[in-house]
Every structure is written in structure tokens, then in C-alpha cells.
Amino acid sequence: MDYRADIDWNQMRALLATVEAGSLSAAARKLGLTQPTLGRQVAALEKSLGVTLFERAGRNLILTQAGRELIGPLQRMGEASAAVALVASRQSQAVEGLVRITTSDVYAQFVLPPVLEKIRRVAPGLVIDVLASNEVEDLIRRRADIAIRHVPLSEPEVIARRLPDAMARIYGAEQSVTGLAQPVGAETLSEAEFIGFSESIPVLMAELRRHGINVSEANFPLMTNSGIVAWDWVRRGLGLGVMMETVARMTPGVVDAWPDFAGVPVPTWLATHRELRTARRIRVVFDALADVLGQWHHPPPN
């Protein structure tokens, strides 16, 4: 016999199932195939091996001597295939290890909790360490496995997925908003006091000016490097602030200062090191973040 290493396992499985089931029809039902398909696989195996495996006696199939000699090795191959499938299944379920996520403090407090709940359900063996930081270099320094950022990362060793933009608006405590000259508009807000985020005030001023709100540094008497602190000051009535709509919906006591304002789109990237993307524990967390954040950035209407 001309045994060849490139024989199709599906064809060999068809032979083994036919022998164990006793007929082509029973084997076809076992494998979820049609009888003609199974018959073609057995015939293809005979042609590949260059031997006759069955003799047909009416509707009965009788193994030839060559066929009987194949059964033992085929049974061992079937057992090995089942063992491989079992090991793969166990490995796919046993997602374990540490995954570090770096993101802003606002995202860490308001956005990540539903993602972490999902990860705990699907992969309870994972340990998640969240680095709440507003620095963009944490991922590059390998201090984290996954980064959620509002600026693109251009390093060649990093791959990033652009998520749907979030929408930010101008908010304030109710007493702060009612104290503004009415009706509220760009001219009114040009005279208002804002809470500043230290590292992005020039960017924020440019964005507000683009919408006709002519602010300067004098409009930012209070600043902090913490997004959470800045938002709490807004909630307490110390000034107005720009925040994503979904965060504002989750914060009692703040109101939209300018309902007619078109809003500011907030771009978001999900990034990881190229070689880490194939690590299963990283991929599970990366995909969970992409799924939940994609929905989170589309808040329901009021």
C-alpha cells in the first residue's frame, strides 16, 4: 500500500465512522453529513490509498483485509484527535493572568466598571490592574498592556483601534447655570468661569473658540491635573466644565449649560503592543473593551 502523509483526516474519519456505525447511512447521521457525501469521502480515501477498503454485498459493506489493517491505527488517531480537542477547549476556557489597563481617571471611574463586570463573567481567572493616569507614554514604556486614549499613538510597535467618538458638552451645577445671563449662548459663556484641566487648557480654549465662545486664560481661575477632581468641582458649582454626555448622565446635580450647543466630539483609541495582541488574555480584555466602549459612546436620548 502507498501510505501518504497528506491523507485527509476527514476521509479517514468517514471510514472509521462507517466501520463503527455499521453502514454509510448510520455513519452519515453520526457525522452530520449526507450519505452521498460520506460515500464520496470513503471513495476518495480508497483512491488516495490505492486500495479497496470495502466489498459491497447487496446493501452490506464488508471490510477487506486492507481495511481491517487500517482500523487499529485509525482508532488511535481518533482518540488522539479527541484529546487534542479537549486540551484546546480547556485552554480556551482557562484564560488566566494579569492584564494592566491604562486610562484616564474619568474613564477608570465612570466607564470601566461595566467592562470589568463583563470580564469577570467571561474570564474569572484574569486579574485586572487599572492604572488611572493621564500620561500617554505608559503603554510605550510597557507599564500597561492596553491603553485607552484620546490621542492617536503612532509608534510602529503599537496597534490601535479607533472607537466611535464620544460627545462632550458644557455642564455646570444647577445654581451655576441659572446664574448665567439668559438666554445662554456663546456670548454669555465667553464671560463664564470654567474649571480647567491643566494639560489641555490650550486645546480646550481652541475648541471653544471654534464654536464662538471667546475664552482666554482668564476664564480658567481654577485648574487641576485630575479629570475626576475637575468634574467634582463642576458638580459643586465652582465653575463650568466640558464633559462627555454619558458621564454627565451618571452625575446627579449637573445640567447642560447650553442645550443648543452642537457639542464637541471626543476621539478615542484602544491600543496595545503588536505582539501582545495575539496573547489570549490580552485579546479577551481588548475585545471586551471594544465591545462595551462602542456601546457606551452611543448614549440613549433624553
Side-chain angles (χ1 to χ4, degrees), residues 98-102 127-131:
L98 174 65
V99 179
R100 291 188 174 93
I101 302 171
T102 177
V127 176
I128 307 298
D129 181 11
V130 177
L131 178 61

Side-chain angles (χ1 to χ4, degrees), residues 3-300:
Y3 293 106
R4 295 170 55 188
D6 59 351
I7 297 172
D8 190 333
W9 165 243
N10 288 325
Q11 297 173 3
M12 293 187 284
R13 186 179 61 164
L15 169 61
L16 183 60
T18 301
V19 173
E20 292 176 343
S23 68
L24 285 172
S25 59
R29 288 193 298 271
K30 178 180 178 181
L31 296 178
L33 303 174
T34 64
Q35 183 173 332
T37 298
L38 188 68
R40 286 193 295 270
Q41 289 184 344
V42 172
L45 180 60
E46 287 182 320
K47 181 178 180 181
S48 179
L49 292 175
V51 299
T52 299
L53 299 173
F54 289 105
E55 293 178 350
R56 277 77 175 173
R59 293 186 176 181
N60 296 323
L61 295 177
I62 301 174
L63 271 175
T64 63
Q65 178 62 34
R68 288 193 294 272
E69 291 179 0
L70 286 177
I71 294 305
L74 282 179
Q75 288 175 331
R76 291 191 291 272
M77 289 182 66
E79 293 170 356
S81 176
V84 169
L86 179 61
V87 170
S89 176
R90 287 173 176 170
Q91 289 180 342
S92 67
Q93 297 301 320
V95 181
E96 299 176 341
L98 174 65
V99 179
R100 291 188 174 93
I101 302 171
T102 177
T103 188
S104 68
D105 52 1
V106 170
Y107 262 62
Q109 176 161 332
F110 290 97
V111 184
L112 285 191
V115 186
L116 300 179
E117 289 176 358
K118 178 177 181 178
I119 293 171
R120 293 297 301 151
R121 290 195 305 270
V122 301
L126 286 177
V127 176
I128 307 298
D129 181 11
V130 177
L131 178 61
S133 169
N134 297 308
E135 298 179 2
V136 299
E137 61 269 23
D138 297 317
L139 184 64
I140 309 305
R141 296 176 181 175
R142 301 293 184 97
R143 293 179 59 191
D145 302 308
I146 298 173
I148 305 168
R149 291 297 177 222
H150 299 304
V151 293
L153 298 172
S154 58
E155 288 72 11
E157 69 270 22
V158 171
I159 59 173
R161 180 187 300 183
R162 175 76 178 266
L163 300 176
D165 291 349
M167 186 60 68
R169 303 183 61 78
I170 301 172
Y171 295 96
E174 188 170 357
Q175 67 269 25
S176 298
V177 175
T178 55
L180 297 172
Q182 301 296 320
V184 176
E187 184 176 351
T188 301
L189 293 173
S190 297
E191 304 297 326
E193 292 187 346
F194 287 81
I195 303 298
F197 184 65
S198 306
E199 299 176 1
S200 63
I201 286 182
V203 175
L204 178 58
M205 286 196 301
E207 187 63 34
L208 292 176
R209 288 169 181 167
R210 192 171 69 84
H211 291 275
I213 305 173
N214 297 313
V215 293
S216 66
E217 292 183 357
N219 292 89
F220 295 86
L222 295 177
M223 296 184 296
T224 174
N225 66 343
S226 168
I228 291 295
V229 171
W231 185 235
D232 185 63
W233 288 354
V234 171
R235 183 186 63 82
R236 292 173 181 271
L238 298 181
L240 303 182
V242 177
M243 180 53 69
M244 292 173 288
E245 288 179 317
T246 309
V247 171
R249 292 173 188 272
M250 299 168 64
T251 308
V254 297
V255 296
D256 192 336
W258 188 14
D260 293 333
F261 180 48
V264 179
V266 180
T268 306
W269 282 266
L270 187 61
T272 186
H273 286 281
R274 189 173 299 276
E275 65 270 25
L276 293 180
R277 187 68 173 90
T278 57
R280 182 163 174 77
R281 76 183 196 286
I282 306 298
R283 189 178 188 92
V284 166
V285 176
F286 191 97
D287 291 346
L289 285 166
D291 179 55
V292 175
L293 292 181
Q295 300 175 40
W296 188 88
H297 283 170
H298 290 89

